[in-house]
Amino acid sequence: IVPDRLDATRAALRTAAADHDLILTSGGVSLGEEDHIKAAVEAEGRLDAWLVAMKPGKPVAFGRIGTDDGAAFIGLPGNPVSSFVTFLMLVRPYILRCQGVRAVLPRAIPLEAAFDLPRPDRRREFLRARLTADGRVEIHSHQGPGVFTSTAWADGLVDNPPGQTVRAGDRVAF
């Protein structure tokens, strides 16, 4: 746990970079006045990417601390579901790739939707979902980034493209 101060965040990043290949943080990557990760990474190294078009999980940071061969940095959002989903979709594949694994992305299975999604987001959505007894996919009724119980309820995620509506009976990527 690092205090919400830029100097403390910078010091923690420097210390972690001295002995580690990857620094992974949770929280502090958004736009709030106490979110110091972006400025700290830029001051202690470089920020390669910040903010991704996915829901949940828009505030994500990628970069390096120190020199080009310094520690890799990934900053996850602070909301629990956003952190969980971005870890599954971005961090886990990165770590596996660093270990030499070639097939790093989660496998998608096309299944029939047992739900309607009439108002899609403009971003790519990852909806907490589970299989029904008849082999279709239903989504949790509360998809907010702070509803962590939805992850325990779910068997997986529905990967819904930007702007895509879903009607019961449509095929979705589970």
Side-chain angles (χ1 to χ4, degrees):
I1 297 173
V2 177
D4 288 330
R5 295 189 331 264
L6 180 59
D7 65 324
T9 304
R10 287 182 66 181
L13 291 175
R14 278 192 310 273
T15 300
D19 297 319
H20 299 88
D21 297 322
L22 172 64
I23 300 169
L24 180 64
T25 64
S26 177
V29 294
S30 197
L31 297 169
E33 64 183 56
E34 296 301 330
D35 292 327
H36 300 295
I37 291 291
K38 182 177 184 278
V41 171
E42 289 173 327
E44 297 299 328
R46 72 173 197 267
L47 189 66
D48 296 324
W50 180 61
L51 302 180
V52 294
M54 69 183 280
K55 181 180 179 181
K58 181 179 177 180
V60 177
F62 297 92
R64 290 246 171 228
I65 304 301
T67 62
D68 284 346
D69 61 346
F73 171 83
I74 304 174
L76 299 176
N79 281 321
V81 174
S82 298
S83 190
F84 180 79
V85 171
T86 53
F87 184 89
L88 287 175
M89 302 309 297
L90 303 172
V91 178
R92 183 177 183 275
Y94 175 81
I95 292 170
L96 289 172
R97 191 70 178 127
C98 289
Q99 295 173 331
V101 176
R102 294 197 185 277
V104 298
L105 297 178
R107 189 180 82 216
I109 303 166
L111 294 173
E112 183 180 324
F115 64 92
D116 291 318
L117 186 67
R119 293 180 309 277
D121 201 85
R122 57 184 165 75
R123 297 171 286 174
R124 184 176 181 182
E125 291 182 275
F126 294 94
L127 307 163
R128 274 85 66 213
R130 71 178 178 189
L131 299 173
T132 63
D134 61 359
R136 297 183 308 150
V137 179
E138 64 181 342
I139 60 172
H140 194 272
S141 59
H142 300 289
Q143 292 289 324
V147 184
F148 199 62
T149 54
S150 65
T151 62
W153 173 91
D155 296 324
L157 300 169
V158 167
D159 181 355
N160 195 50
Q164 181 70 48
T165 60
V166 177
R167 296 179 73 170
D170 289 349
R171 299 294 264 187
V172 294
F174 175 74

